[in-house]
Amino acid sequence: MLRVADVTDFLESIAPRRWAFDWDPVGLQIGRPDAPADRILVALDVNQTSLALAEERDSQLLVIHHPLIWKPIAHLREGNDVEGKVARIVRGGRSFFGIHTNWDAAPGGISETLAARLGITDLEPIGSGATVEQVKVVVFAPSESRNALIDAMSAAGAGRIGNYERCAFWSEGTGTFVGNANANPTVGHAEQIESVAETRIEMVVDLARLAAVVKALREVHPYEEPAYDLVTLRPTVPQPLSRIGNISPMTARELVALADEQLGAKTWLYGDPDRRIERLAVSGGAAGSEWVAAKAAGADAFLTGEFRHDEGVAGQDQGFVMMASGHRETEHPGMEALALRLRERFPEAEVVVALP
């Protein structure tokens, strides 16, 4: 039997919670990790269409882009509001998992799927994203303990940079110390000056994993009193929301026609329709404020789902081209891509997609 935890662990591996903004309540909102998940429904929203399909197919796990619960619920009453939908999901014995801005930003997620639909190549991440507080752990140990320490700290969560793991820097040096009468040094003797060939190891770690990394360090380190430093780093954006890349040269008017065809959309254009577009930035959903980062990154135009009128005017006044193709139209392809990933990972499961 496939469990909810099996599916959510996979989703965490491709779109970690840390990539979601702190205001975004992603994750398992309804249900329990050990519940069955042999039948999965993927959708953009929880609405009457997706709920009816879940009931028709007896889906056990709903994987939904937009979280359902955004504020505390005081009552569970029947109806079409949030409380009614929660009650309906609970009554059906189903689980609910939200995967929102973390999937917007993830490789292969909302923005990258949108870019692929529009034929954008040579993608680069740009723009805003969830910030992550990080610490650099610097530890000193005998040279022969180097790999054991790097392995243990890596397993606890240190040394993860983008698509790479077990990232570390090390250099050789000499450590010296004098242990007092109560000391039991691993190398040398108490109450004597000792000099030992040591390795300095440096690894970065998210603040949320720091305690686990320090625990692993202390468990593996051969010294009675390990020496290590913790250096606070500037917050980083490990996975920005938007993407920029190259497209076959065309006018803004032609790009609107392409977006309408590929997304089934009715695209709104702010800017010169005859502007030549070669570098295009995209971000699914409501990402109007991302146009500033897109322009700064060298884009000729920015396409998203929706933006405020004043954002469109501001971009247009600066000679920039902005396009809005619809919230659903720019995000649903990314949910279809997620369903495909789930089918590939769990071929034994039934995975259905609800139309928005």
Side-chain angles (χ1 to χ4, degrees):
M1 180 188 73
L2 189 65
R3 300 175 308 133
V4 167
D6 299 323
V7 179
T8 59
D9 286 349
F10 170 68
L11 295 174
E12 175 67 16
S13 73
I14 64 173
R17 181 189 296 265
R18 67 180 182 277
W19 292 349
F21 285 100
D22 57 9
W23 47 261
D24 191 6
V26 297
L28 188 63
Q29 291 195 315
I30 301 172
R32 63 182 196 276
D34 63 343
D38 296 306
R39 295 181 298 279
I40 304 168
L41 178 133
V42 176
L44 192 62
D45 295 289
V46 173
N47 54 28
Q48 296 307 307
T49 300
S50 58
L51 281 175
L53 182 59
E55 291 167 349
E56 175 187 332
R57 304 303 288 262
D58 194 22
S59 300
Q60 297 159 316
L61 173 62
L62 312 184
V63 177
I64 309 296
H65 186 50
H66 296 125
L68 179 58
I69 303 171
W70 289 85
K71 58 184 180 180
I73 294 177
H75 308 282
L76 284 182
R77 296 168 176 163
E78 300 296 330
N80 294 326
D81 54 7
V82 170
E83 289 83 356
K85 292 174 182 177
V86 171
R88 191 169 168 181
I89 293 170
V90 171
R91 186 174 64 247
R94 309 181 210 288
S95 299
F96 178 102
F97 187 90
I99 182 167
H100 190 205
T101 50
N102 47 334
W103 186 235
D104 288 340
I110 296 293
S111 290
E112 289 199 1
T113 303
L114 174 60
R117 283 287 182 98
L118 298 175
I120 306 175
T121 61
D122 305 315
L123 289 181
E124 301 172 24
I126 61 168
S128 64
T131 57
V132 175
E133 295 184 51
Q134 293 187 311
V135 173
K136 179 183 285 187
V137 180
V138 183
V139 59
F140 306 85
S143 300
E144 61 268 21
S145 301
R146 180 185 69 233
N147 286 331
L149 274 165
I150 292 175
D151 287 342
M153 294 166 64
S154 174
R160 297 176 183 175
I161 303 176
N163 293 323
Y164 297 86
E165 297 183 358
R166 202 183 179 274
C167 300
F169 177 84
W170 58 269
S171 56
E172 300 292 352
T174 301
T176 185
F177 55 85
V178 176
N180 63 27
N182 296 320
N184 183 25
T186 302
V187 179
H189 304 280
E191 299 185 297
Q192 292 185 15
I193 297 176
E194 302 289 352
S195 295
V196 183
E198 291 187 337
T199 298
R200 173 190 174 108
I201 303 168
E202 303 179 33
M203 301 180 78
V204 297
V205 59
D206 292 353
L207 185 60
R209 300 295 304 164
L210 179 60
V213 168
V214 171
K215 182 176 183 290
L217 178 163
R218 297 185 69 91
E219 288 176 348
V220 172
H221 202 292
Y223 284 179
E224 185 180 27
E225 293 291 345
Y228 60 91
D229 301 330
L230 303 178
V231 182
T232 300
L233 304 177
R234 293 181 61 182
T236 63
V237 178
Q239 195 67 35
L241 289 176
S242 304
R243 298 294 187 271
I244 187 172
N246 302 319
I247 61 169
S248 298
M250 65 184 75
T251 65
R253 181 183 288 108
E254 291 170 333
L255 181 54
V256 166
L258 175 66
D260 287 352
E261 176 186 354
Q262 292 298 316
L263 303 176
K266 174 61 178 176
T267 302
W268 293 84
L269 171 67
Y270 280 64
D272 181 2
D274 295 316
R275 171 76 182 271
R276 181 180 173 88
I277 309 297
E278 297 183 18
R279 291 278 285 170
L280 177 62
V282 298
S283 191
S289 61
E290 291 287 285
W291 78 267
V292 177
K295 187 174 187 298
D300 301 313
F302 174 62
L303 185 147
T304 186
E306 57 182 286
F307 50 77
R308 299 194 313 267
H309 175 70
D310 62 291
E311 292 170 332
V313 171
Q316 187 175 20
D317 283 347
Q318 295 192 32
F320 195 55
V321 173
M322 295 178 61
M323 304 177 185
S325 294
H327 200 119
R328 291 179 297 178
E329 290 80 0
T330 56
E331 289 190 332
H332 181 67
M335 297 310 291
E336 292 180 322
L338 180 59
L340 180 60
R341 296 281 291 273
L342 288 168
R343 292 187 186 112
E344 291 173 346
R345 176 62 183 83
F346 303 108
E348 72 276 23
E350 176 189 82
V351 180
V352 298
V353 181
L355 296 176

PDB file of all heavy atoms in Angstrom, residues 151-164:
ATOM      1  N   ASP A 151      30.784  13.455   5.853  1.00  0.00           N
ATOM      2  CA  ASP A 151      29.651  12.546   5.604  1.00  0.00           C
ATOM      3  C   ASP A 151      28.547  12.736   6.642  1.00  0.00           C
ATOM      4  O   ASP A 151      27.358  12.803   6.304  1.00  0.00           O
ATOM      5  CB  ASP A 151      30.136  11.098   5.626  1.00  0.00           C
ATOM      6  CG  ASP A 151      30.946  10.724   4.391  1.00  0.00           C
ATOM      7  OD1 ASP A 151      30.841  11.442   3.382  1.00  0.00           O
ATOM      8  OD2 ASP A 151      31.683   9.722   4.456  1.00  0.00           O
ATOM      9  N   ALA A 152      28.935  12.811   7.911  1.00  0.00           N
ATOM     10  CA  ALA A 152      27.937  12.931   8.980  1.00  0.00           C
ATOM     11  C   ALA A 152      27.207  14.261   8.914  1.00  0.00           C
ATOM     12  O   ALA A 152      25.979  14.321   9.068  1.00  0.00           O
ATOM     13  CB  ALA A 152      28.620  12.771  10.337  1.00  0.00           C
ATOM     14  N   MET A 153      27.938  15.354   8.693  1.00  0.00           N
ATOM     15  CA  MET A 153      27.309  16.666   8.611  1.00  0.00           C
ATOM     16  C   MET A 153      26.423  16.770   7.379  1.00  0.00           C
ATOM     17  O   MET A 153      25.339  17.368   7.420  1.00  0.00           O
ATOM     18  CB  MET A 153      28.381  17.756   8.626  1.00  0.00           C
ATOM     19  CG  MET A 153      29.138  17.843   9.952  1.00  0.00           C
ATOM     20  SD  MET A 153      30.651  18.836   9.849  1.00  0.00           S
ATOM     21  CE  MET A 153      29.977  20.453   9.470  1.00  0.00           C
ATOM     22  N   SER A 154      26.875  16.164   6.285  1.00  0.00           N
ATOM     23  CA  SER A 154      26.064  16.165   5.064  1.00  0.00           C
ATOM     24  C   SER A 154      24.767  15.403   5.279  1.00  0.00           C
ATOM     25  O   SER A 154      23.688  15.866   4.885  1.00  0.00           O
ATOM     26  CB  SER A 154      26.863  15.547   3.919  1.00  0.00           C
ATOM     27  OG  SER A 154      26.063  15.416   2.763  1.00  0.00           O
ATOM     28  N   ALA A 155      24.842  14.243   5.920  1.00  0.00           N
ATOM     29  CA  ALA A 155      23.635  13.447   6.174  1.00  0.00           C
ATOM     30  C   ALA A 155      22.649  14.188   7.061  1.00  0.00           C
ATOM     31  O   ALA A 155      21.429  13.975   6.967  1.00  0.00           O
ATOM     32  CB  ALA A 155      24.024  12.115   6.816  1.00  0.00           C
ATOM     33  N   ALA A 156      23.154  15.085   7.905  1.00  0.00           N
ATOM     34  CA  ALA A 156      22.290  15.862   8.803  1.00  0.00           C
ATOM     35  C   ALA A 156      21.728  17.113   8.140  1.00  0.00           C
ATOM     36  O   ALA A 156      20.897  17.802   8.736  1.00  0.00           O
ATOM     37  CB  ALA A 156      23.058  16.236  10.065  1.00  0.00           C
ATOM     38  N   GLY A 157      22.189  17.433   6.922  1.00  0.00           N
ATOM     39  CA  GLY A 157      21.614  18.572   6.206  1.00  0.00           C
ATOM     40  C   GLY A 157      22.578  19.646   5.801  1.00  0.00           C
ATOM     41  O   GLY A 157      22.177  20.641   5.183  1.00  0.00           O
ATOM     42  N   ALA A 158      23.858  19.516   6.087  1.00  0.00           N
ATOM     43  CA  ALA A 158      24.838  20.541   5.715  1.00  0.00           C
ATOM     44  C   ALA A 158      25.341  20.304   4.292  1.00  0.00           C
ATOM     45  O   ALA A 158      25.234  19.201   3.742  1.00  0.00           O
ATOM     46  CB  ALA A 158      26.005  20.540   6.693  1.00  0.00           C
ATOM     47  N   GLY A 159      25.898  21.358   3.701  1.00  0.00           N
ATOM     48  CA  GLY A 159      26.545  21.220   2.404  1.00  0.00           C
ATOM     49  C   GLY A 159      25.619  21.092   1.218  1.00  0.00           C
ATOM     50  O   GLY A 159      26.015  20.573   0.181  1.00  0.00           O
ATOM     51  N   ARG A 160      24.393  21.611   1.324  1.00  0.00           N
ATOM     52  CA  ARG A 160      23.457  21.568   0.201  1.00  0.00           C
ATOM     53  C   ARG A 160      23.421  22.932  -0.469  1.00  0.00           C
ATOM     54  O   ARG A 160      23.010  23.927   0.125  1.00  0.00           O
ATOM     55  CB  ARG A 160      22.060  21.176   0.678  1.00  0.00           C
ATOM     56  CG  ARG A 160      22.014  19.778   1.289  1.00  0.00           C
ATOM     57  CD  ARG A 160      20.650  19.430   1.850  1.00  0.00           C
ATOM     58  NE  ARG A 160      20.662  18.117   2.485  1.00  0.00           N
ATOM     59  CZ  ARG A 160      19.647  17.605   3.140  1.00  0.00           C
ATOM     60  NH1 ARG A 160      18.517  18.284   3.252  1.00  0.00           N
ATOM     61  NH2 ARG A 160      19.748  16.407   3.699  1.00  0.00           N
ATOM     62  N   ILE A 161      23.876  22.974  -1.725  1.00  0.00           N
ATOM     63  CA  ILE A 161      23.919  24.219  -2.481  1.00  0.00           C
ATOM     64  C   ILE A 161      23.299  23.957  -3.845  1.00  0.00           C
ATOM     65  O   ILE A 161      23.893  23.251  -4.676  1.00  0.00           O
ATOM     66  CB  ILE A 161      25.359  24.748  -2.638  1.00  0.00           C
ATOM     67  CG1 ILE A 161      26.005  24.955  -1.262  1.00  0.00           C
ATOM     68  CG2 ILE A 161      25.374  26.048  -3.430  1.00  0.00           C
ATOM     69  CD1 ILE A 161      27.464  25.374  -1.332  1.00  0.00           C
ATOM     70  N   GLY A 162      22.088  24.498  -4.071  1.00  0.00           N
ATOM     71  CA  GLY A 162      21.404  24.278  -5.341  1.00  0.00           C
ATOM     72  C   GLY A 162      21.179  22.800  -5.599  1.00  0.00           C
ATOM     73  O   GLY A 162      20.605  22.086  -4.779  1.00  0.00           O
ATOM     74  N   ASN A 163      21.668  22.322  -6.741  1.00  0.00           N
ATOM     75  CA  ASN A 163      21.496  20.927  -7.117  1.00  0.00           C
ATOM     76  C   ASN A 163      22.624  20.029  -6.616  1.00  0.00           C
ATOM     77  O   ASN A 163      22.751  18.878  -7.051  1.00  0.00           O
ATOM     78  CB  ASN A 163      21.404  20.805  -8.644  1.00  0.00           C
ATOM     79  CG  ASN A 163      20.150  21.448  -9.200  1.00  0.00           C
ATOM     80  OD1 ASN A 163      19.091  21.386  -8.583  1.00  0.00           O
ATOM     81  ND2 ASN A 163      20.257  22.088 -10.346  1.00  0.00           N
ATOM     82  N   TYR A 164      23.450  20.543  -5.714  1.00  0.00           N
ATOM     83  CA  TYR A 164      24.608  19.792  -5.239  1.00  0.00           C
ATOM     84  C   TYR A 164      24.485  19.492  -3.746  1.00  0.00           C
ATOM     85  O   TYR A 164      23.930  20.281  -2.983  1.00  0.00           O
ATOM     86  CB  TYR A 164      25.899  20.571  -5.501  1.00  0.00           C
ATOM     87  CG  TYR A 164      26.162  20.791  -6.978  1.00  0.00           C
ATOM     88  CD1 TYR A 164      25.604  21.877  -7.649  1.00  0.00           C
ATOM     89  CD2 TYR A 164      26.935  19.894  -7.699  1.00  0.00           C
ATOM     90  CE1 TYR A 164      25.825  22.074  -8.999  1.00  0.00           C
ATOM     91  CE2 TYR A 164      27.169  20.084  -9.051  1.00  0.00           C
ATOM     92  CZ  TYR A 164      26.617  21.173  -9.700  1.00  0.00           C
ATOM     93  OH  TYR A 164      26.823  21.358 -11.034  1.00  0.00           O
TER      94      TYR A 164
END
